[in-house]
Amino acid sequence: MKLEELMNLPKIEQHCHLDGSLSKAFAEERLGRRVLDSELQVSEGCASLNEYLDKFVLPCGLIEDLTGLREAGYDFIRQMKQENVVYTEVRFAPLNPARESIRLDRVLESLLMGLDKGKQEFGVEYNVIVCAMRHHSEETNLGMFRAAREFLGAGVCAGDLAGAEALFPMCRFESLFREVKKLGMPFTIHAGECGNVQNIVDAVQAGAGRIGHGIAMRGNRRVQELCREKKIGIEMCPVSNLQTKAVDSPLEYPLREFLDAGLAVTVNTDNRTVSNTTLSGELEFVQKTYGITDGEILQMMRNAVDTLFAEDDVKNRLLRLYDAF
C-alpha cells in the first residue's frame, strides 16, 4: 500500500506510551514557549537506550498534575484521529514521584476524562493499560493495581510491567502477577526487549496475554511455538526497537521471522513523539524493509483485534472494518 492508503486504513494501536507520545503543540501550550524538536525527539543517529530515555524528561514533567493529565489524554486521541487509528490501548504509569500527593483514583479519573473528551469529539475508541514499574516494590505496584482495578471495564482494560528489564528480570515479579490474576485483571508484559528470552517464557507462564517487543525469541523455535500455541499477542515496535539498539541492524529485526512462524504479531509505535513516528509510517517502513505484503498488513490488524483487552462487542465491531478489504 502507498502511504496515503495506509493513512486511510482503519488502524489499531496496541503498544503506545502516553508520556512518549505527547505532541509538540501540547508541550508548547503547557510550557508557554516554543519547543525544539530535539527536546522531544531522538536524532536519526540515536546511539543507545540511555539517549532514547533522555527524551522523556520534558514530557513527564508536563503530566505531573491533573490538568496536564486531562489535556494529555485529549491530545493523545487527537493524534490518533489524524491517521485514522480507530482503537488504541494507551499505556500509562500512574505512579510518578511528582504525583505522590495525588490519589491514584484522581490521577486515573483525570486521564480518562481527557481521553473520553477526545473519544466524543473524534470518535476514536480507547482503553488504558496501567504500567507497574520494575524498580518499584511489590507492595507499591500491587497497590497501584488494586486502585486501577476499580476502573476495570470503565476505561482501564489491563496491566503491564515496564522499566529496566535487564536489571529486574521477570522472575522477580511472579508473585505480583499471581495477585494481579486474582484481581481479575488481564495483563501484557514488556519482555524480551533486552535480549533475555527467559523473560518471555516467565511472562507467558505468569499468564500474560501479550508480550511487549519479544525480540529475544528470535531464532528460538521452542519459545515461538509456546507463544503460537497459547495465542500470545506479540507487540512489535520496529522504529523504536531500532533506535534503542534492541537489535544491531534492521536485517536482524525478526518481524518477518515471527510472521512466518504464525505468531500473532502486531506493529505499533511505542512512543510516537520520541521516535518521531506514526503507525502509518511504521507500516510503510515494514513493507519497504521486510517485504510485508498488503495481506499481511491486514492480518496484523486482525491479530490486533484478536488479542485486544477490549470487550467482545468492540472486537466484533472492529473486525467488521476489515471485511471490505
Side-chain angles (χ1 to χ4, degrees):
M1 298 183 197
K2 296 179 180 178
L3 181 58
E4 182 179 357
E5 294 174 300
L6 292 169
M7 288 282 288
N8 291 329
L9 178 72
K11 292 176 290 296
I12 295 163
E13 173 87 90
Q14 280 194 336
H15 190 128
C16 189
H17 294 268
L18 179 74
D19 51 3
S21 302
L22 304 176
S23 71
K24 181 179 176 181
F26 170 80
E28 290 181 334
E29 184 173 340
R30 288 284 290 166
L31 293 171
R33 66 168 176 85
R34 181 171 175 253
V35 174
L36 300 176
D37 290 345
S38 60
E39 293 182 82
L40 296 170
Q41 300 171 3
V42 293
S43 64
E44 290 187 11
C46 181
S48 68
L49 177 59
N50 286 339
E51 181 181 339
Y52 189 88
L53 294 177
D54 282 345
K55 300 303 178 183
F56 286 82
V57 174
L58 188 151
C60 283
L62 301 176
I63 53 174
E64 292 178 348
D65 59 23
L66 299 181
T67 299
L69 286 166
R70 187 171 61 251
E71 293 177 354
Y74 177 83
D75 177 70
F76 185 85
I77 296 295
R78 180 187 59 80
Q79 293 183 73
M80 296 291 154
K81 178 63 175 179
Q82 289 176 344
E83 60 157 341
N84 201 26
V85 172
V86 294
Y87 177 91
T88 180
E89 292 182 348
V90 54
R91 297 187 189 219
F92 172 63
L95 294 172
N96 180 310
R99 296 194 293 265
E100 285 183 353
S101 62
I102 309 174
R103 291 196 336 238
L104 281 174
D105 59 343
R106 295 203 66 201
V107 167
L108 289 167
E109 284 170 356
S110 294
L111 175 60
L112 291 170
M113 283 176 63
L115 291 167
D116 198 60
K117 180 183 176 183
K119 175 183 176 179
Q120 298 307 317
E121 186 167 334
F122 302 116
V124 178
E125 296 192 73
Y126 72 88
N127 265 305
V128 174
I129 297 175
V130 292
C131 296
M133 299 306 296
R134 284 182 155 94
H135 63 277
H136 288 158
S137 69
E138 179 171 333
E139 180 183 9
T140 298
N141 280 326
L142 185 55
M144 183 278 292
F145 280 129
R146 284 174 174 156
R149 173 66 179 80
E150 299 302 311
F151 295 86
L152 192 63
V156 170
C157 67
D160 184 19
L161 178 66
E165 181 186 350
L167 296 177
F168 302 94
M170 179 58 205
C171 61
R172 298 189 185 186
F173 301 93
E174 292 172 355
S175 174
L176 172 65
F177 282 95
R178 279 197 296 271
E179 294 303 314
V180 175
K181 286 183 73 174
K182 291 178 183 178
L183 292 174
M185 179 177 282
F187 52 90
T188 177
I189 290 177
H190 281 72
E193 184 178 10
C194 301
N196 189 341
V197 73
Q198 188 60 41
N199 287 331
I200 300 174
V201 175
D202 291 345
V204 172
Q205 291 178 342
R210 301 198 316 241
I211 295 295
H213 304 294
I215 298 167
M217 63 179 163
R218 177 168 62 98
N220 192 316
R221 292 185 180 180
R222 177 182 66 85
V223 179
Q224 290 178 27
E225 181 65 15
L226 172 69
C227 291
R228 189 186 68 79
E229 287 183 353
K230 291 186 174 293
K231 299 180 180 179
I232 303 298
I234 310 299
E235 310 156 353
M236 304 195 77
C237 308
V239 171
S240 168
N241 292 155
L242 293 168
Q243 289 169 335
T244 62
K245 302 301 183 284
V247 293
D248 292 332
S249 73
L251 292 176
E252 296 182 13
Y253 196 68
L255 175 62
R256 166 54 64 196
E257 176 186 337
F258 290 177
L259 278 173
D260 289 347
L263 298 182
V265 172
T266 61
V267 169
N268 308 274
T269 62
D270 202 8
N271 298 287
R272 288 171 165 260
T273 304
V274 173
S275 287
N276 189 24
T277 190
T278 62
L279 190 49
S280 303
E282 297 271 354
L283 296 173
E284 181 187 39
F285 171 75
V286 299
Q287 285 209 290
K288 290 182 176 179
T289 308
Y290 303 110
I292 303 303
T293 66
D294 291 352
E296 287 170 326
I297 294 289
L298 294 172
Q299 182 58 53
M300 288 191 288
M301 289 301 151
R302 294 187 181 99
N303 290 344
V305 176
D306 289 341
T307 56
L308 288 177
F309 297 120
E311 299 292 336
D312 286 343
D313 62 326
V314 175
K315 289 185 177 185
N316 292 334
R317 186 163 63 252
L318 290 171
L319 276 176
R320 286 196 292 271
L321 295 176
Y322 301 106
D323 290 343
F325 291 90

